[in-house]
Amino acid sequence: MKDMAMTEAGLSPLLRVEGLAKRYGARIGCTEVSFDLWPGEVMGIVGESGSGKTTLLNCLAGQLAPDAGRVLFDTRGRGMVDTLTMSESERRMLGRTDWAFVHQHAQDGLRMNVSAGGNVGERLMAVGAQHYGDIRDKAIDWLDRVEIAEDRVDDRPSAFSGGMRQRLQIARNLVTGPRLVFMDEPTGGLDVSVQARLLDLLRGLVREMGLSAIIVTHDLAVVRLLADRLMVMKSGHVVETGLTDQVLDDPQHAYTQLLVSSVLQV
Amino acid sequence: MNAYNFAYLDEQTKRMIRRALLKGMAIPGYQVPFASREMPMPYGWGTGGVQVSAAVMTPEDCFKVIDQGADDTTNAVSIRRFFQATAGVAVTEKTAEATVIQTRHRIPERDLVEGQILVYQVPIPEPLRFLEPSEVETRKMHALEEYGLMHVKLYEDIARHGDISTSYAYPVKVEGRYVMDPSPIPKFDNPKLSMAAIQLFGAGREQRIYALPPYTEVVSLDFEDYPFQAGRADHDCDLCGADNSYLDEVITDDAGGRMFVCSDTDFCSERREAGHVGALGVEAVA
Ligand SMILES: Nc1ncnc2c1ncn2[C@@H]1O[C@H](COP(=O)(O)OP(=O)(O)O)[C@@H](O)[C@H]1O
Ligand SMILES: [Mg+2]
Ligand SMILES: [Zn+2]
């Protein structure tokens, strides 16, 4: 009864993760990961290289099959459903409607031989849009929102700079109004000034659209700016969780303290 | 006395191909893998089509081969001779007389009827290939009916050329389910893909067979604001005067003289025999 009332009041998590684990042979990728993500919340996952962030994100997003655990998503049609046991067809449908995935390397998330407009329009066409003019208008609108000029709409991403490619990838992902966005090191590999611009843009979009997101990064500046809550990972384990400011300003776990201080030294 | 089995292929191979054909007929537009055999001709010559023809051919059949609409190209003549030699079947250039027609790049102008079989030579059976090179992924897309990418291709066409510029191998949706490459026929022929005859598609190098049973619904993909248009040269045939046929542009002399003639040579000559004359028809015949 109480659960139902909470659900009706919109008080159900968007994503509920229970006991997620993934091994590579004897090596732990990630293990014993459990958390809730609430609508409109941005969760940051931080930790040094090799700590299991990408493994966890790929398991959450259905791109990697975990060995144990459940990933429950609040679907539009059926409420909380374990995305690991749903049919591949349903999971792929989620992947191009309610979910979005921003890859660290833009070329992994773009079609390099398709124009910017076609890249943004693909998700619209994937869900049945069949009016060229409408698709193009939406694509141009989204290019504008990620600060790519309209006259680049017919250019291919191969002609774009790294920062533009990443912004194009973001537009391509957000055009269908996803309810949950996964991002893996979205600012990784970019020049510092380009990173700053991208972060500002992401922060604007997150606020404007009320996005729910899970952002993986080794860069604490990214989560400081974007994340409401943090999960700190070490050797595949979550060692600390909490509100972003709390974790960064008053880290409890020795590893987090190290992580935070090493950033301060930089 | 005969070094080959009837129609060259051994019976076991023919049975294997027929099983693939039956599966293809049962699931219109679905690409069925088959174990393509070496044929005594290069792949570019339509070995997929030849194997399908061999598998469906009976001694009573009357065989016709067209290449871009013509019966007399080297390719068409060779394939026709091949089956004359290996199957001893009757051959014809008349569309109406043929029971099995093997084709490259055209559908005959004359409406085919029940009982006829049209066999296509297919170079690349996978319509999603050019945007998604992974075979694993394209198979999944077909299985899950994820065809957004096909419209991305058409979107790119319009973005670049102002219109859907694809004029050959124009993708179609079959019975509201599978997206299919109709082989490199001109899109002018697309409306004819819903027909009374059986249509069989064979890709030799790619080892795929697919099929359209009679009267299958075949719809050319398009956008609401850029509807499919079959298109046609703004001319009549200069030989027979036809205003409804697919035309080839032919250079007639070194002075830049050109004429438009039906690509379907049987259709054109039948019309001329029936007394139809195009603008240059008398001169051309004389
Ligand atoms: N495909 C793989 N095969 C074997 N081990 C892997 C594979 N991917 C990651 N790992 C290992 O799993 C651990 C976590 O890696 P990863 O999730 O990539 O961490 P992060 O994204 O935090 O750098 C590391 O020890 C890494 O070496
Ligand atoms: Mg990583
Ligand atoms: Zn003619």
Side-chain angles (χ1 to χ4, degrees), chain B residues 88-102:
Chain B
V89 290
V91 295
T92 182
E93 297 193 359
K94 301 234 164 289
T95 300
E97 284 174 6
T99 54
V100 177
I101 302 171
Q102 183 169 328

Side-chain angles (χ1 to χ4, degrees), chain A residues 24 27-29 47-56 184-185 216:
Chain A
Y24 301 102
R27 176 180 294 166
I28 293 174
E48 65 190 339
S49 175
S51 58
K53 306 181 298 292
T54 295
T55 300
L56 173 58
D184 191 0
E185 308 272 7
V216 154

Side-chain angles (χ1 to χ4, degrees), chain B residues 31 124-130 132 135 138-139 142 181:
Chain B
Q31 298 168 50
I124 299 170
E126 179 49 71
L128 299 162
R129 170 82 47 88
F130 58 95
E132 181 51 69
E135 167 91 23
T138 54
R139 275 199 192 213
H142 283 294
D181 184 328

